[in-house]
Structures are given as C-alpha cells and as structure tokens.
Amino acid sequence: MKLALLLSLLPAAACLSAPAATVAQSGKIYTFAKSAASMAEASTLMPGGVSSPVRAFKSVGGGPIVFDRVKGARAWDVDGNEYLDYVGTWGPAIIGHADDGVLKRISETAAKGTSFGAPSVLENDLARLIIDAVPGVEMVRFTNSGTEACMGMLRLARAFTGREKIVKFEGCYHGHADSFLVQAGSGVATLGLPDSPGVPDGATRSTLCAQYGNLESVEKLLRENEVAAVIIEPVVGNSGFIRPEKEFLQGLRDLTTKYGALLVFDEVMTGFRVAYGCAQSYFGVTPDITTLGKVVGGGLPVGAYGASREIMEMVAPAGPMYQAGTLSGNPLAMAAGIETLKRLKADPNNYTELERKSKKLVDGILEAGKKHGHAVCGGVAGGMFGFFFCEGPVKSFSDAEKADAAKFGRWHRMMLERGIYLAPSTYEAGFMSLVHTDADIDQTLAVANEVMALL
Ligand SMILES: *Cc1c(COP(=O)(O)O)cnc(C)c1O
Ligand SMILES: CC(=O)N[C@H]1CO[C@H](CO)[C@@H](O)[C@@H]1O
C-alpha cells in the first residue's frame, strides 16, 4: 500500500540471514523453501507476485512469507513455520485472528446467502454501533475498502463546501485514489506532483501538502487557497508510527473552522484501534468527516465514511453527491464487523490492556536496542505501535526518512527467521491484539534481544 509505491522501488536492503551457527538460544532458524517456490510461481501470474505491493517485502529484502493459516495471535506459513504475528492483517485482527465468535457469526450469516444487493438489517446494526461510538459520526455510508471510503469522503468534502482544493500531509496515506497519490518532496507545503505514472497532473493539482506536526505549514495553505478539507491520519501508521501532540490536532480543528474548511480524520487504521471511540475520542478532537476501514470489517472487506447528518445528507440518494457499490454493506462483512465491535465494546479495559501490552513490547524493544548500542525510538497509542532505527523523536515523515532502513531490513529478516512476524517496512506500524499474552510478548522480547545483539 501507500508509500510502498515509491519505497518499494528503492533498492532492497541487503539482508542475508545470519548463519545458524551464530545464533545462541532460540535454536531453530526458519527456512522458507515452500514460500519461495510459491512466490516464484506467483510472480509469473501477478505483478510482483502479490495483490498489494507492501506484501512483496521490497523495502526489507528477502522473499515474502506465504501464509497457510492464522489463529489468535499466531500465523503459520506454507513451510509449517509458526509466528507471533504483530501485523494482524494490517490491523483488523484486533480481537485475534479467526476468532471463534466471528467465524460462527460469519457462517450463520453465510447460510442465509453471501450477498443481497438489497438492504439488510445487519447494516443498521453496524451503523448504530459506529454512530454510538464515534463522536463525529451521526450517519454512515458503507464501502468495500478504506480506499473507497476515502474516495467518497473526498467527493463529499468538495460537494459540501463547493471548494476543490484539499490539504494532506507528507507521508500520510489515504488509499490509492489519484488525488491522494502525492507525498510532495521536501520542504514545507509544496504543490504536489503525482507519485505514480498514470495519475494525471489534473488529479493532483488540487492536492496541497503540509508537514505533519507543523501548524504554520497548514495555515499558510489555508490562507492562500480556498480549501475544501484538511485530511489527516490522526495517528500516523503509514510513515511508520507517529503519534501527534494533542495541540496539533486541536490546532487543525481551530484553523479549519477559521478558514471554512472541513477537518477530516482518516481513521481507516486508527478507528476502533487506538480507542473504541477512535483517535478522535483518544485525543478529544472531533473532525467533520471520519473515514473507517480495517477493524470495522473484522477481517472482511469493509470501509465507511461518516459525518454529521447535515453533511451526510449530501450523499445520494438523500442528496446529489453520487457514490455507490454493488457489494457495499455486504452481509458477511457486516456480520464480522458487528461481532468484532461488540467484543471490543464489552469491556472498557480492553483498550487499556492493548496499550499496556503495546507499551511493554515497545519499551522492551527500545531497551534491547539501547543495550546493544543501536539508536532506536518508538511509541504507542492504544493497540498501535512502532519504532525506528534512529535517535528520534520522529514527528514527521522527514524525521522518519532519517531512520536506518537497511538496518530495519536486517532486523526484520532475523526476527522472521526466529518466529516473529513484523510489518515488512520501516514505514509501517505494528498492531497488538487482545489475545497476545504477556508470555507472547516476553518471548518476542527474548528474540528481540538476541537479534539486537547480532545486528
Ligand atoms: C489502509 C488505509 C487506507 C486504505 O484502506 P484499504 O482498505 O487498504 O483500501 C486508507 N487510509 C489509511 C489511513 C489506511 O491505513
Ligand atoms: C483485557 C481483555 O482482553 N478484556 C476483555 C475484552 O473483551 C472481551 C469480551 O469480548 C473479554 O472477554 C476480555 O476479557
């Protein structure tokens, strides 16, 4: 996904595995013959052998792991290797992979048919759960992916304000729609040029880029342009993990109000991940429009965008802004989302626990790194975490670019060979689940110590 468009094209970090003989305690070093064979075939059938770029491991080097099955906090590959998984299918597996309750609900629902193309009561149920939980959402529209949700959100922001320009932030990802494929270069607030061939200049001419954490860069753009919306990841997960200051998000709220622009939180990743009320309740700043995805689908394809009743009634057929989807609101996807949200809601301690465990993991990794002389920094928000190989603190994409990506690549492969599955890029976040135990984290930290010593 995201930056992968650019970053996956960078030369792969050198990352041959350490010879088995140098490994102290853990004993077993995984090998990946069947994954390699499957990927060799896949690359003749699909571009890069994958259905989404980041899965190709281009920015860490080494071949991707081909999964066979997942359960709870664990994944198994086609070679039979078992992993503790901190990717969790990029966030959705927050109550654990293949949860029995979710599977039961999906199979009961499937027995009644897999797609209606007509309204179902399940849509009401998931919509109500979302509206009750998310401060900025009074009505919601379901889509099939986060990308689609962001496309709908963009059209809605423009339709509602009658303005065309948008402000996004360097390093933030909002799906693969043309208008968002702009990272901009260095420096403050540049007019964006497309990141990918095939994106017409016209599609990005209205996309302005500001610097994360830098309110002045935003105000300058708002002052000089008629801006429809300022769109942000309220906690960044797509330039690695970056936690904002509350004052920055509050500043965006004040500035957008002052200049008549809408504030959009793209909570596709952070929604129901950093808190049950999403990042907007975690930080106490309410946006005008919210996009959701990942966790709200409980592992099935779902996206959503929501806002006040007044804004949402712009959307067809209530209003004139067109957006549609044959499989949108699909009963299986709704069922998985409902079951997942109900489980998260059942216990307010769930998010406290997620954050405690994320912090235990990140603190342990930083300690292991420092003990063995590596510059590392990192942080957490609820069930989301991340770390970089640099002194830090990392507060923006340009800070993140200073991290040692080659070292991350070697670390990633060595963790993988010892049964720890981390996101395959320094520009990705990590995800904790309710079913990761303290023993799982202790085991992860033992491996992390071993690998930091070898790095
Ligand atoms: C994942 C993600 C998207 C895109 O969602 P897809 O379901 O992959 O299309 C958009 N915005 C953010 C913040 C994301 O993390
Ligand atoms: C800490 C924790 O995991 N708490 C709970 C989260 O919610 C579920 C309900 O589905 C409880 O069973 C967990 O104990």
Side-chain angles (χ1 to χ4, degrees):
M1 22 171 121
K2 79 233 33 205
L3 291 172
L5 274 166
L6 274 186
L7 301 172
S8 68
L9 301 174
L10 298 176
C15 61
L16 290 175
S17 31
T22 64
V23 174
Q25 306 94 0
S26 72
K28 188 157 171 235
I29 297 294
Y30 291 172
T31 55
F32 312 106
K34 288 184 180 162
S35 278
S38 176
M39 285 311 299
E41 184 188 20
S43 61
T44 68
L45 303 171
M46 296 170 284
V50 293
S51 299
S52 194
V54 73
R55 296 180 200 170
F57 279 33
K58 290 276 189 205
S59 64
V60 285
I65 303 309
V66 177
F67 277 28
D68 176 49
R69 67 198 156 90
V70 290
K71 186 76 183 171
R74 281 156 211 274
W76 288 265
D77 70 14
V78 289
D79 287 283
N81 301 314
E82 178 177 319
Y83 302 88
L84 276 168
D85 177 17
Y86 293 99
V87 179
T89 184
W90 300 95
I94 191 168
I95 64 172
H97 283 295
D99 173 83
D100 289 338
V102 173
L103 292 184
K104 179 161 174 281
R105 190 75 194 257
I106 291 174
S107 63
E108 285 165 5
T109 307
K112 296 167 79 177
T114 60
S115 177
F116 297 161
S120 84
V121 178
L122 294 170
E123 291 164 81
N124 299 6
D125 293 346
L126 186 56
R128 194 175 311 284
L129 281 163
I130 292 171
I131 290 163
D132 287 349
V134 189
V137 176
E138 290 176 358
M139 287 184 114
V140 69
R141 163 62 56 89
F142 291 113
T143 63
N144 301 295
S145 68
T147 292
E148 266 187 84
C150 290
M151 290 165 72
M153 160 276 278
L154 178 62
R155 188 172 300 140
L156 177 58
R158 287 172 166 163
F160 186 78
T161 57
R163 299 175 174 187
E164 202 170 304
K165 290 184 174 155
I166 55 163
V167 172
K168 75 178 284 292
F169 292 85
E170 290 172 23
C172 281
Y173 180 69
H174 306 293
H176 60 77
D178 283 354
S179 308
F180 294 122
L181 290 185
V182 182
Q183 315 293 338
S186 51
V188 197
T190 19
L191 192 64
L193 293 172
D195 275 349
S196 167
V199 175
D201 288 347
T204 55
R205 199 170 295 138
S206 302
T207 307
L208 311 169
C209 272
Q211 222 179 27
Y212 206 85
N214 182 340
L215 285 173
E216 275 160 38
S217 73
V218 180
E219 178 149 31
K220 182 168 187 295
L221 292 173
L222 287 171
R223 206 186 309 117
E224 294 169 1
N225 299 276
E226 290 266 291
V227 171
V230 173
I231 300 163
I232 192 165
E233 288 183 64
V235 176
V236 184
N238 290 292
S239 339
F241 173 89
I242 301 175
R243 190 186 154 111
E245 302 292 339
K246 180 192 156 107
E247 292 66 32
F248 172 60
L249 297 178
Q250 185 59 50
L252 292 179
R253 178 67 284 178
D254 298 342
L255 284 175
T256 46
T257 305
K258 177 173 166 195
Y259 289 95
L262 298 178
L263 178 61
V264 178
F265 280 4
D266 178 0
E267 300 232 38
V268 170
M269 187 181 284
T270 54
F272 298 93
R273 166 55 64 186
V274 305
Y276 190 72
C278 310
Q280 54 199 269
S281 77
Y282 189 93
F283 289 100
V285 176
T286 305
D288 299 300
I289 306 181
T290 302
T291 54
L292 295 165
K294 299 191 169 109
V295 173
V296 283
L300 270 77
V302 181
Y305 58 100
S308 65
R309 185 172 301 278
E310 187 196 3
I311 294 176
M312 286 307 284
E313 284 186 340
M314 288 294 293
V315 180
M321 188 221 98
Y322 192 72
Q323 185 269 313
T326 301
L327 289 167
S328 296
N330 173 276
L332 294 189
M334 296 294 105
I338 291 165
E339 190 62 28
T340 301
L341 295 199
K342 278 192 172 160
R343 297 281 291 287
L344 289 168
K345 190 183 181 182
D347 182 351
N349 285 330
N350 272 333
Y351 286 91
T352 324
E353 266 297 286
L354 282 169
E355 184 157 304
R356 180 190 68 77
K357 290 189 289 185
S358 299
K359 189 164 185 315
K360 172 174 169 161
L361 179 67
V362 170
D363 286 351
I365 289 172
L366 300 192
E367 197 183 313
K370 282 168 191 154
K371 189 165 109 198
H372 296 289
H374 302 288
V376 276
C377 65
V380 306
M384 209 172 141
F385 65 84
F387 47 89
F388 293 95
F389 282 105
C390 63
E391 281 302 335
V394 170
K395 297 192 156 181
S396 68
F397 181 58
S398 47
D399 292 342
E401 285 181 306
K402 292 176 193 138
D404 188 338
K407 188 184 271 186
F408 181 89
R410 293 194 303 277
W411 146 269
H412 180 268
R413 176 69 23 179
M414 288 161 89
M415 292 296 282
L416 203 60
E417 288 169 337
R418 290 160 182 78
I420 308 297
Y421 192 85
L422 298 167
S425 167
T426 181
Y427 295 109
E428 301 287 353
F431 302 100
M432 186 61 69
S433 86
L434 286 178
V435 295
H436 283 82
T437 62
D438 280 286
D440 291 336
I441 297 169
D442 291 338
Q443 185 189 335
T444 307
L445 292 177
V447 177
N449 259 289
E450 191 183 313
V451 170
M452 289 291 189
L454 292 168
L455 259 185

